[in-house]
Amino acid sequence: MVKGITRQVILVKSPDPRLFEEAIFIVKEEALAREGVSADKVLREARQAANGYLKQGRAWNRRLERIPAPFWSLLGAAAASAGWAVWLLLL
């Protein structure tokens, strides 16, 4: 469904195109009407938010990559075994 509302949107290109093409920020209507808020400041905030999100995701990926593959295999086997055990107990 399409509404007849126009909004101001900021598109921020991704520094890492393997993950995202761009981030889309919808600007609040009253944001630019406030004193001391310029279009440059809004754009800077959008870039900081996008960069912060990407940095946060990379930190989690680094932590998960440190865990060796055999651990993930054991975790998967344990989860499958637990699933089967619960299924058998419910029959």
Side-chain angles (χ1 to χ4, degrees), residues 27-83:
V27 181
K28 289 185 176 182
E29 292 179 24
E30 66 272 2
L32 294 175
R34 294 181 190 160
E35 286 186 34
V37 177
S38 65
D40 289 336
K41 185 173 182 178
V42 172
L43 184 58
R44 209 173 317 121
E45 286 281 332
R47 284 186 179 146
Q48 284 179 340
N51 287 336
Y53 181 78
L54 285 175
K55 288 177 185 175
Q56 180 183 16
R58 287 185 197 139
W60 273 107
N61 286 342
R62 279 190 222 119
R63 288 183 193 136
L64 292 176
E65 287 173 354
R66 289 181 191 159
I67 300 172
F71 172 78
W72 293 113
S73 300
L74 290 173
L75 184 65
S81 298

